[in-house]
PDB file of all heavy atoms in Angstrom:
ATOM      1  N   LEU A 172      92.752 102.542  99.686  1.00 98.00           N
ATOM      2  CA  LEU A 172      92.220 102.224 101.025  1.00 98.00           C
ATOM      3  C   LEU A 172      90.703 102.397 101.062  1.00 98.00           C
ATOM      4  O   LEU A 172      89.989 101.554 101.624  1.00 98.00           O
ATOM      5  CB  LEU A 172      92.885 103.120 102.075  1.00 98.00           C
ATOM      6  CG  LEU A 172      94.385 102.883 102.280  1.00 98.00           C
ATOM      7  CD1 LEU A 172      94.993 103.975 103.158  1.00 98.00           C
ATOM      8  CD2 LEU A 172      94.648 101.501 102.890  1.00 98.00           C
ATOM      9  N   LEU A 173      90.217 103.460 100.452  1.00 98.00           N
ATOM     10  CA  LEU A 173      88.764 103.690 100.443  1.00 98.00           C
ATOM     11  C   LEU A 173      88.057 102.541  99.725  1.00 98.00           C
ATOM     12  O   LEU A 173      87.021 102.046 100.164  1.00 98.00           O
ATOM     13  CB  LEU A 173      88.439 105.022  99.758  1.00 98.00           C
ATOM     14  CG  LEU A 173      88.865 106.272 100.552  1.00 98.00           C
ATOM     15  CD1 LEU A 173      88.757 107.528  99.692  1.00 98.00           C
ATOM     16  CD2 LEU A 173      88.024 106.421 101.828  1.00 98.00           C
ATOM     17  N   ARG A 174      88.669 102.105  98.621  1.00 98.00           N
ATOM     18  CA  ARG A 174      88.087 100.996  97.845  1.00 98.00           C
ATOM     19  C   ARG A 174      88.020  99.715  98.692  1.00 98.00           C
ATOM     20  O   ARG A 174      87.134  98.894  98.526  1.00 98.00           O
ATOM     21  CB  ARG A 174      88.925 100.741  96.588  1.00 98.00           C
ATOM     22  CG  ARG A 174      88.149 100.094  95.465  1.00 98.00           C
ATOM     23  CD  ARG A 174      88.950  99.902  94.184  1.00 98.00           C
ATOM     24  NE  ARG A 174      89.930 100.916  93.917  1.00 98.00           N
ATOM     25  CZ  ARG A 174      91.248 100.757  94.058  1.00 98.00           C
ATOM     26  NH1 ARG A 174      91.754  99.614  94.459  1.00 98.00           N
ATOM     27  NH2 ARG A 174      92.070 101.751  93.787  1.00 98.00           N
ATOM     28  N   GLU A 175      88.975  99.558  99.598  1.00 98.00           N
ATOM     29  CA  GLU A 175      88.977  98.367 100.462  1.00 98.00           C
ATOM     30  C   GLU A 175      88.074  98.529 101.681  1.00 98.00           C
ATOM     31  O   GLU A 175      88.035  97.658 102.548  1.00 98.00           O
ATOM     32  CB  GLU A 175      90.421  98.067 100.919  1.00 98.00           C
ATOM     33  CG  GLU A 175      91.266  97.517  99.777  1.00 98.00           C
ATOM     34  CD  GLU A 175      92.757  97.528 100.065  1.00 98.00           C
ATOM     35  OE1 GLU A 175      93.154  97.647 101.239  1.00 98.00           O
ATOM     36  OE2 GLU A 175      93.538  97.415  99.099  1.00 98.00           O
ATOM     37  N   GLY A 176      87.393  99.659 101.758  1.00 98.00           N
ATOM     38  CA  GLY A 176      86.422  99.833 102.842  1.00 98.00           C
ATOM     39  C   GLY A 176      86.968 100.461 104.104  1.00 98.00           C
ATOM     40  O   GLY A 176      86.312 100.443 105.152  1.00 98.00           O
ATOM     41  N   ILE A 177      88.171 101.008 104.032  1.00 98.00           N
ATOM     42  CA  ILE A 177      88.722 101.695 105.213  1.00 98.00           C
ATOM     43  C   ILE A 177      87.991 103.041 105.348  1.00 98.00           C
ATOM     44  O   ILE A 177      87.920 103.808 104.383  1.00 98.00           O
ATOM     45  CB  ILE A 177      90.245 101.967 105.048  1.00 98.00           C
ATOM     46  CG1 ILE A 177      91.009 100.694 104.679  1.00 98.00           C
ATOM     47  CG2 ILE A 177      90.815 102.680 106.275  1.00 98.00           C
ATOM     48  CD1 ILE A 177      91.291  99.738 105.781  1.00 98.00           C
ATOM     49  N   PRO A 178      87.444 103.348 106.523  1.00 98.00           N
ATOM     50  CA  PRO A 178      86.729 104.614 106.690  1.00 98.00           C
ATOM     51  C   PRO A 178      87.640 105.823 106.443  1.00 98.00           C
ATOM     52  O   PRO A 178      88.798 105.834 106.896  1.00 98.00           O
ATOM     53  CB  PRO A 178      86.271 104.577 108.158  1.00 98.00           C
ATOM     54  CG  PRO A 178      86.402 103.159 108.590  1.00 98.00           C
ATOM     55  CD  PRO A 178      87.449 102.525 107.744  1.00 98.00           C
ATOM     56  N   ALA A 179      87.103 106.818 105.749  1.00 98.00           N
ATOM     57  CA  ALA A 179      87.905 107.985 105.341  1.00 98.00           C
ATOM     58  C   ALA A 179      88.548 108.689 106.535  1.00 98.00           C
ATOM     59  O   ALA A 179      89.666 109.212 106.427  1.00 98.00           O
ATOM     60  CB  ALA A 179      87.025 108.963 104.564  1.00 98.00           C
ATOM     61  N   GLU A 180      87.855 108.688 107.693  1.00 97.00           N
ATOM     62  CA  GLU A 180      88.418 109.452 108.823  1.00 97.00           C
ATOM     63  C   GLU A 180      89.685 108.807 109.398  1.00 97.00           C
ATOM     64  O   GLU A 180      90.406 109.427 110.175  1.00 97.00           O
ATOM     65  CB  GLU A 180      87.354 109.677 109.920  1.00 97.00           C
ATOM     66  CG  GLU A 180      86.752 108.435 110.542  1.00 97.00           C
ATOM     67  CD  GLU A 180      85.524 107.908 109.781  1.00 97.00           C
ATOM     68  OE1 GLU A 180      85.340 108.269 108.595  1.00 97.00           O
ATOM     69  OE2 GLU A 180      84.766 107.105 110.371  1.00 97.00           O
TER      70      GLU A 180
END
Side-chain angles (χ1 to χ4, degrees):
L172 294 170
L173 290 169
R174 205 177 327 106
E175 288 166 17
I177 308 282
E180 60 272 19

